[in-house]
């Protein structure tokens, strides 16, 4: 632990620091102040994890992501699983049916081919499970000491069905906030193997493709026919549930009130976070989603989620309100209220 370094130093840094990759306020500043002005364009201006595009009369979802997780293999998954599920889930959060992926491998000179093979096998198996095809790719090799074994980039495309419109601008006060299951599992699983920590029970990553769960949710209320009960979805990866809620509150212009005791945190995760001084709300997930749902459809959506293997522990954790727009607050078990801020960086870097 003495070797740990703070991933989120002061924000007025003249150089890139680890906090710029943490999915919090520093990441947002990097995108908004450096990349977005350089690239421009109305689609990019949405600053979503996935872009919804119209091409030839067809609505497409398009997303890309890079994976630099350390270690390459961890309880419940590997960098290969993450490379598929991370991009598939970004597509699914737009309501799309993921179809094809590209895959780019950046290999460090000296990495064992057997390790590359294990990662490739895991990636292929995850793609088959998610129902997508790896259609194209690329491989580059960098000199020893200029990489970290294996980095992967995946991009994906999918079709957005007619009548599906998921975006923060559809959120209104009174929407119900649902999380699909226990939070913080992936981040603690990575931490346990990276630092050689034991918490009395093995914690496995929740890494999974969520497209099937989203399909079940969209089927409620005739979503395919235009009566979409979901207003917006987000997978709370880097920065955890807190970052996802803050992003959606800011983009929708509504406030979010969370009942702290309702947020599902496994005891093993809670104990690990208590020992390490971490807040489970900020710990990364790789197989969970948060949904803002029209109140009149909330019970039906919750039932549909609980009928799916990846949503059996789905829970209502709060609601959107007209008060304090752009802010997330939590009602504590003692009857108080605390602000759940946007994280500055990431409590645990390199988790995806």
């Amino acid at each position: 632990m003495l070797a740990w370094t703070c991933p989120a130093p002061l924000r007025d840094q003249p150089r890139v620091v680890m906090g710029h990759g943490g999915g919090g306020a520093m990441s947002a500043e990097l995108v908004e102040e450096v990349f977005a002005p350089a690239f421009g364009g109305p689609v990019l201006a949405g600053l979503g994890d996935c872009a919804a595009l119209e091409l030839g009369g067809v609505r497409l979802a398009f997303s890309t992501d890079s994976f630099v997780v350390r270690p390459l293999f961890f309880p419940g998954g590997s960098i290969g699983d993450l490379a598929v599920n991370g991009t598939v889930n970004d597509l699914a959060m737009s309501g799309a049916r993921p179809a094809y992926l590209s895959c780019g491998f950046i290999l460090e000179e000296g990495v064992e081919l057997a390790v590359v093979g294990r990662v490739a096998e895991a990636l292929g198996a995850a793609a088959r499970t998610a129902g997508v095809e790896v259609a194209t790719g690329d491989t580059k090799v960098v000199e020893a000491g200029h990489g970290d074994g294996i980095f992967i980039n995946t991009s994906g495309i999918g079709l957005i069905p007619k009548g599906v419109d998921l975006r923060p601008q559809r959120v209104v006060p009174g929407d119900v906030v649902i999380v699909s299951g226990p939070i913080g599992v992936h981040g603690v699983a990575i931490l346990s193997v990276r630092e050689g920590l034991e918490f009395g029970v093995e914690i496995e990553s929740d890494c999974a493709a969520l497209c099937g769960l989203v399909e079940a949710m969209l089927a409620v209320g005739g979503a395919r026919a235009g009566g979409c009960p979901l207003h917006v979805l987000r997978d709370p990866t880097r920065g955890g549930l807190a970052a996802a809620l803050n992003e959606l509150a800011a983009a929708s212009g509504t406030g979010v009130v969370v009942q702290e005791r309702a947020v599902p945190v496994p005891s093993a995760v809670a104990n690990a976070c208590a020992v390490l001084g971490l807040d489970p709300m900020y710990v990364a997930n790789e197989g969970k989603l948060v949904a803002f749902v029209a109140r009149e459809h909330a019970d039906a959506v919750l039932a549909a989620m609980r009928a799916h293997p990846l949503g059996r522990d789905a829970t209502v954790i709060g609601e959107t309100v007209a008060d304090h727009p752009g802010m997330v607050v939590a009602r504590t078990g003692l009857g108080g209220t605390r602000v759940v801020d946007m994280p500055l960086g990431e409590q645990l870097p390199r988790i995806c």
Side-chain angles (χ1 to χ4, degrees), residues 3-349:
W4 284 16
T5 57
C6 176
L10 297 176
R11 294 164 73 171
D12 57 348
Q13 290 287 321
R15 301 178 185 274
V16 172
V17 295
M18 291 301 294
H20 285 118
M26 295 183 73
S27 292
E29 286 186 355
L30 181 65
V31 171
E32 293 168 6
E33 297 180 11
V34 177
F35 296 131
F39 301 157
V43 176
L44 182 64
L47 296 180
D49 290 338
C50 177
L53 311 169
E54 295 241 358
L55 188 63
V58 177
R59 294 180 68 214
L60 296 175
F62 178 50
S63 185
T64 189
D65 210 341
S66 298
F67 300 86
V68 296
V69 65
R70 179 171 60 86
L72 298 176
F73 302 93
F74 45 84
S78 70
I79 191 173
D81 300 279
L82 286 175
V84 170
N85 294 336
T87 296
V88 163
N89 289 346
D90 282 345
L91 294 171
M93 295 306 105
S94 71
R97 296 189 181 110
Y100 295 101
L101 297 180
S102 70
C103 178
F105 273 76
I106 300 175
L107 308 176
E108 183 183 19
E109 181 185 24
V111 67
E112 295 181 6
L113 287 176
V115 172
V116 178
R118 285 180 63 194
V119 171
E121 287 292 333
L123 193 152
R128 290 187 289 274
T129 299
V132 297
E133 180 180 347
V134 179
T136 187
D138 183 50
T139 304
K140 294 292 188 294
V141 177
V142 298
E143 298 89 339
H146 291 265
D148 197 1
I150 300 174
F151 296 152
I152 301 177
N153 172 272
T154 49
S155 297
I157 58 173
L159 287 172
I160 302 176
K162 184 178 179 180
V164 174
D165 181 19
L166 305 183
R167 50 194 173 88
Q169 291 73 23
R170 295 192 64 226
V171 174
V172 297
D175 280 358
V176 175
V177 180
I178 303 175
V179 66
S180 63
I183 66 168
V185 179
H186 175 72
V188 172
I190 295 292
L191 178 64
S192 67
V193 292
R194 182 184 297 179
E195 305 298 338
L197 302 176
E198 296 184 4
F199 303 112
V201 60
E202 183 176 69
I203 301 173
E204 292 193 356
S205 170
D206 57 355
C207 182
L210 297 170
C211 41
L213 175 60
V214 173
E215 284 276 337
M217 297 167 67
L218 286 171
V220 174
R224 299 304 185 196
C228 188
L230 311 180
H231 287 168
V232 70
L233 300 175
R234 185 63 54 90
D235 54 336
T237 53
R238 296 178 304 166
L241 181 60
L245 293 176
N246 271 279
E247 289 171 359
L248 294 177
S252 65
T254 62
V256 176
V257 178
V258 174
Q259 301 299 326
E260 196 167 53
R261 285 187 171 179
V263 177
V265 181
S267 58
V269 171
N271 293 339
C273 288
V275 169
L276 299 169
L278 304 177
D279 185 339
M281 289 277 285
Y282 294 90
V283 177
N285 312 271
E286 281 294 347
K288 299 295 187 295
L289 63 81
V290 60
F292 287 26
V293 183
R295 182 168 294 276
E296 63 269 24
H297 294 296
D299 289 342
V301 170
L302 186 63
M305 295 174 73
R306 289 176 172 172
H308 191 278
L310 295 179
R312 60 178 178 268
D313 296 318
T315 305
V316 173
I317 63 169
E319 63 179 344
T320 58
V321 296
D323 297 333
H324 52 78
M327 180 182 294
V328 180
V329 301
R331 297 251 173 88
T332 69
L334 297 176
T337 301
R338 69 180 180 94
V339 175
V340 181
D341 287 324
M342 184 73 167
L344 187 58
E346 172 60 64
Q347 294 182 117
L348 180 66

